[in-house]
């Protein structure tokens, strides 16, 4: 490009972070080169802004005022805070792994009695050993033109690696809890990998939380590699503090005849961008991707999904719902691509927004890009307020207006929560929803 | 006799200024059942909505009292807690809200509003099941989302179930017989009759004499063009069945 754009304060800050950290970031020769290349890609384009199509509704260049310093390794006080932090999944019996202020903390994680076929390690170790996790595993699914992801690749220092050997059916769900403890705003870059071998199955939940009133910044990425005939249930809950910037990328590559259930739930944070890059690489795979967002105040939550049906006979359902109050804004961008030869693809995408105030806003941009001729693909979008007729019906039975609205909101978002196969997950999400409703009153 | 409901000189219009209720006077005493019959579009459902407190109507004149309290000053949920129940002509479907969840919310909200203790879930479920049985409502239906995919008759039975559970003091039944087959009509009528009491009043809106064979009214009103144009005993309904409304419509116009 001929025009030299002046770097923003945040962009300069991010460059400083990288220059200052690159010598200490885990990684051998290969990883170091991958990081450098990723940083160069970011640096060439800078923070995404509204003229970048994929970021049209979320102008990070304007909204991200500065880069916060990198979080330091958690000390004892931080670990204590993290241990005592509210846990949506407490009592569910999940295997809990803790990532505190961006660092995987083994002593706070339940690593006892690992089931045969399950291996867990800190991402920092994997990177230091120069395992090619960042570079090669995902192949074509990693978009090399996304600046936020490039930043993650350049700066990710830690996270978890979960390896499930072929044929292993893990019955106990794994919960990766990302907790920010420091009230002084910092930034955290984490990268995780979940590899489900052929014929194996697992449920992996990730939750993200931190203190209210702090403008901390999270850039987190999760790579899912799912083998043929495997099954993954992946749930991500964003319950960040009310000042937080959360950028999350999901990179999923799913094999043949596999089952991919993905559920994202946003009930926290200030500016949230959840981007999902999904590739159904093998034939006959069934994917159910759902997202729910409960937004209020001045929250801005952007969910951007790109799913590619790369092989034939795949089926996918994409269902996204947002409840938007006050002056909050929900964004959904969904693109389904059907590759040449991916015949008999059956894909249906739906996004709905329920607006609770006149100033609330929802934007939806569905897209289909189809290169095969024998497919069934469709999408739909609705945006509306609470139905007055339904509200009256409930009130006519004695239910006060606030409770009646809450009931209708629950019913609306319930379709997303029902998508979780695990009952404890449904209970936890219902709890999060009720907590959100309670705060509104 | 004590007046349960008093409507005096009521005028109501819908947003946009169209006059629907035009000078209605009606007193329902405790223990009485009033039937309201009248041509399509006369304003019967509108009256029921105005009584239940549906937004979107402007009351341009008149007063309505329930047990001496100003009903028009209350929101719909407050009216329900005071004992007003409207069995809807077209019950609404609410996807995602299980019937039982809805019943529990309604029942306990009313109790709370009246300063009474809420009923525990097991007790409430037991009570609902017992009523459901008398109305031939399948227990499985209670787990389904409210009215979603229910047949016309099932919806009406579900309305009757709600009424029996909530034990209102004023029941307004808007064409509860429409969409019911003969057997279901008897079941629903039995349910309604079981609620007949010296403390309760009912307004039964219907087009058909048949319902009134089962739920025998004390008083029958002919409602045309927004007001009551004739009042008589139970035999008036039979007369209407023979003559129709032609004479009243011209009278009202
Ligand atoms: N929201 C509305 N907007 C416009 N017109 C309305 C509205 N509600 C009612 N009306 C009109 O008001 C009149 C009275 O309607 P209402 O439903 O009360 O009649 P009804 O006596 O119950 O008729 P039916 O016997 O067919 O049920 C009708 O002409 C109807 O079209
Ligand atoms: Mg009517």
């Amino acid at each position: 490009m001929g025009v030299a754009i002046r770097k923003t304060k945040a962009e300069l800050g991010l460059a400083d972070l990288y220059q200052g950290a690159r010598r200490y970031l885990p990684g051998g020769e290969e990883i170091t080169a991958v990081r450098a290349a990723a940083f160069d890609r970011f640096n060439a384009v800078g923070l995404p802004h509204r003229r970048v199509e994929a970021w049209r509704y979320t102008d990070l260049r304007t909204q991200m005022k500065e880069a916060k310093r990198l979080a330091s390794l958690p000390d004892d006080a931080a670990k204590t805070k993290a241990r005592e932090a509210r846990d949506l999944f407490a009592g569910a019996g999940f295997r809990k792994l803790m990532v505190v202020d961006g660092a995987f903390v083994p002593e706070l994680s339940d690593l006892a009695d690992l089931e045969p076929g399950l291996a867990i390690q800190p991402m920092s170790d994997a990177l230091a050993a120069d395992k090619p996790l960042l570079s090669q595993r995902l192949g074509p699914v990693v978009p090399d033109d996304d600046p936020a992801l490039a930043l993650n690749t350049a700066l990710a220092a830690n996270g978890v690696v979960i390896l499930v050997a072929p044929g292993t059916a893990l019955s106990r769900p794994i919960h990766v809890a990302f907790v920010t403890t420091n009230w002084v705003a910092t930034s955290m870059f984490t990268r995780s990998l979940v590899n489900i071998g052929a014929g194996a199955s697992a449920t992996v939940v990730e939750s993200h939380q931190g203190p209210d009133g702090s403008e901390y910044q999270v850039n987190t990425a999760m790579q899912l590699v799912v083998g043929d005939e495997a099954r993954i249930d992946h749930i991500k809950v964003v319950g960040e503090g009310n000042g937080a910037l959360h950028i999350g990328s999901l990179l999923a590559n799913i094999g043949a005849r596999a089952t991919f259930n993905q559920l994202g739930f946003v009930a926290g944070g200030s500016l949230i961008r959840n981007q999902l890059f999904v590739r159904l690489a093998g034939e006959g795979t069934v994917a159910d991707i759902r997202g729910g967002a409960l937004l209020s105040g001045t929250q801005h939550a952007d969910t951007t999904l790109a799913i590619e049906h790369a092989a034939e006979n795949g089926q996918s359902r994409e269902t996204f719902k947002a409840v938007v109050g006050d002056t909050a804004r929900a964004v959904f961008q969904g693109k389904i691509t059907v590759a040449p030869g991916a015949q008999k693809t059956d894909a249906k995408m739906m996004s709905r927004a329920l607006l609770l105030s006149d100033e609330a806003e929802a934007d939806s941009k569905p897209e289909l890009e189809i290169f095969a001729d024998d497919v069934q693909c469709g999408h739909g979008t609705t945006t509306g307020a609470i139905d007055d007729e339904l509200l009256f019906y409930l009130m006519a039975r004695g239910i006060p207006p606030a409770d009646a609205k809450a009931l209708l909101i629950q019913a609306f978002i319930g379709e997303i929560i029902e998508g979780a196969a695990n009952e404890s997950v449904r209970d936890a999400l219902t709890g999060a929803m009720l907590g959100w409703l309670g705060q509104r009153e | 006799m004590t007046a349960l409901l008093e409507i005096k000189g009521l005028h109501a219009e819908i947003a946009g200024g169209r006059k629907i209720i035009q000078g209605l006077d009606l007193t329902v005493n405790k223990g009485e059942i009033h039937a309201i019959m009248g041509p399509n579009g006369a304003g019967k459902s509108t009256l029921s909505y105005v009584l239940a407190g549906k937004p979107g109507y402007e009351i341009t004149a008149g007063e309505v009292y329930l047990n001496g309290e100003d009903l028009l000053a209350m929101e719909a949920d407050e009216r329900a807690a005071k004992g007003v129940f409207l069995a809807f002509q077209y019950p609404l479907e609410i996807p995602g809200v299980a019937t039982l969840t809805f019943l529990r919310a309604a029942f306990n909200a009313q109790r709370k509003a009246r300063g009474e203790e809420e009923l525990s879930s097991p007790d409430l479920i037991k009570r609902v099941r017992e009523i459901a049985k008398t109305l031939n409502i399948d227990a499985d239906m209670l787990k389904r989302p409210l009215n979603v995919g229910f047949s016309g008759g099932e919806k009406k039975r579900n309305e009757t179930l709600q009424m029996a559970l909530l034990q209102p003091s004023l029941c307004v039944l808007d064409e509860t017989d429409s969409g019911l087959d003969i057997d279901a009509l008897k079941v629903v009528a039995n349910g309604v009759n079981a609620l007949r009491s010296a403390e309760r009043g009912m307004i039964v809106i219907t087009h058909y004499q048949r319902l009134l064979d089962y739920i025998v009214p004390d008083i029958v009103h002919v409602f045309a063009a927004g007001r009551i144009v004739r009042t008589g005993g139970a035999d008036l309904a039979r007369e209407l069945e023979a003559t129709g409304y032609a004479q009243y419509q011209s009278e009202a116009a």
Side-chain angles (χ1 to χ4, degrees), chain A residues 387-390 392-401 403 407-408 410-412 418, chain B residues 53-54 76-77 80 85-86 88 92-93 95-97 102 106 109-110 146-147 159 162:
Chain A
D387 186 323
D388 286 336
E389 300 282 328
L390 299 185
F392 170 62
Y393 190 58
L394 296 174
M395 285 176 68
R397 295 298 179 251
I399 303 174
D403 296 353
L407 207 53
L408 292 172
Q410 281 182 50
F412 178 79
E418 278 161 25
Chain B
K54 187 175 183 180
D77 57 310
F85 183 92
L86 167 62
F88 282 60
L92 286 106
E93 302 187 358
V97 178
F102 160 76
Q110 292 202 10
L146 185 62
N147 290 330
E159 294 288 290
Q162 293 168 36

Side-chain angles (χ1 to χ4, degrees), chain A residues 236-239 263-267 291-294 413 416-417 429 432-433:
Chain A
K236 176 180 176 181
V237 185
V238 178
L263 196 164
F265 202 80
V266 176
L294 300 169
I413 215 76
I416 299 303
I417 295 176
L429 296 179
M433 170 182 70

Side-chain angles (χ1 to χ4, degrees), chain B residues 71-149:
Chain B
L71 202 61
L72 298 178
M74 299 178 209
E75 295 293 333
D77 57 310
E78 300 170 290
R79 297 183 197 198
K82 293 280 183 191
V84 176
F85 183 92
L86 167 62
F88 282 60
Q89 181 173 1
Y90 304 108
L92 286 106
E93 302 187 358
I94 310 194
V97 178
T99 305
L100 206 52
T101 306
F102 160 76
L103 292 173
R104 187 187 303 134
F107 187 86
N108 283 331
Q110 292 202 10
R111 287 217 152 179
K112 201 171 152 196
R114 291 194 291 261
E116 297 164 11
E117 215 173 300
E118 297 182 14
L119 202 60
S120 76
S121 281
D123 287 346
L124 186 108
I125 291 170
K126 205 170 141 222
R127 199 177 285 203
V128 169
R129 288 239 173 92
E130 278 164 17
I131 301 167
K133 217 165 161 189
T134 66
L135 293 166
N136 284 348
I137 293 173
D138 196 28
D140 272 354
M141 225 169 82
L142 301 169
K143 292 183 199 143
R144 283 164 53 186
L146 185 62
N147 290 330
V148 177

Side-chain angles (χ1 to χ4, degrees), chain A residues 10-35:
Chain A
E11 286 164 346
L12 294 170
L14 287 162
D16 283 349
L17 289 187
Y18 175 70
Q19 296 307 341
R22 67 192 176 100
R23 268 178 299 275
Y24 312 104
L25 286 166
E29 221 170 279
E30 189 197 348
I31 294 295
T32 303
V34 168
R35 289 187 189 282

Side-chain angles (χ1 to χ4, degrees), chain B residues 14-15 18 20 38-47 49 57 89-90 174-175 205 207 223:
Chain B
I14 43 177
R18 191 164 154 213
I20 310 289
N40 293 131
K44 303 181 297 296
S45 291
T46 303
L47 169 62
Y49 287 146
Y57 300 95
Q89 181 173 1
Y90 304 108
D174 192 1
E175 297 196 26
I205 298 169
H207 287 294
F223 192 92

Side-chain angles (χ1 to χ4, degrees), chain A residues 114-327:
Chain A
L114 293 185
E115 294 90 330
L118 171 64
I120 295 171
Q121 58 173 307
M123 178 59 97
S124 55
D125 289 0
L127 291 168
D130 228 1
K131 297 232 180 85
L133 297 172
L134 286 173
S135 56
Q136 288 164 11
R137 282 276 167 139
L138 274 135
V141 84
V142 177
D144 58 10
D145 59 349
D146 183 76
L149 185 60
L151 265 181
N152 181 281
T153 303
L155 281 155
N158 212 337
V160 289
V161 176
I162 298 170
L163 305 172
V164 182
T168 306
L170 275 191
S171 57
R172 187 178 175 201
I174 296 171
H175 172 203
V176 188
F178 294 82
V179 181
T180 298
T181 63
N182 202 338
W183 189 84
V184 177
T186 54
S187 65
M188 282 140 285
F189 295 82
T190 55
R191 184 81 158 225
S192 297
L193 171 80
V194 173
N195 192 342
I196 312 285
S201 62
T203 297
V204 176
V205 178
E206 51 171 314
S207 64
H208 297 262
Q209 68 192 86
D212 277 340
S214 168
E215 296 183 352
Y216 64 93
Q217 300 173 341
V218 169
N219 183 325
T220 182
M222 169 69 78
Q223 304 181 192
L224 289 178
V225 184
V226 179
D228 292 350
E229 275 144 35
R231 169 175 176 150
I232 175 80
D233 288 82
H234 174 248
I235 296 97
K236 176 180 176 181
V237 185
V238 178
E240 303 280 19
N242 61 14
L245 165 67
H246 177 104
I247 299 172
S249 305
L250 177 77
L251 314 162
N253 195 62
I254 318 290
R257 298 171 303 283
T259 303
F260 176 49
N261 289 335
Q262 208 281 331
L263 196 164
F265 202 80
V266 176
S270 169
L271 176 61
I272 304 103
R273 160 87 171 190
N274 260 325
Q275 40 185 11
L276 296 83
F277 304 96
V278 178
R279 184 163 195 264
L280 305 184
E283 49 89 21
T285 281
V286 177
D288 184 332
I289 303 172
R290 303 188 194 207
L294 300 169
L295 309 177
S296 59
T298 56
Q299 272 180 300
H300 175 116
D302 174 331
T303 300
T304 295
L305 164 72
I307 176 168
E308 183 192 0
H309 279 266
E312 52 187 17
N313 280 315
Q315 180 192 302
S316 72
R317 295 289 176 268
E318 295 80 17
T319 316
F320 289 82
K321 287 189 167 185
V323 179
V324 196
D326 306 321
T327 58

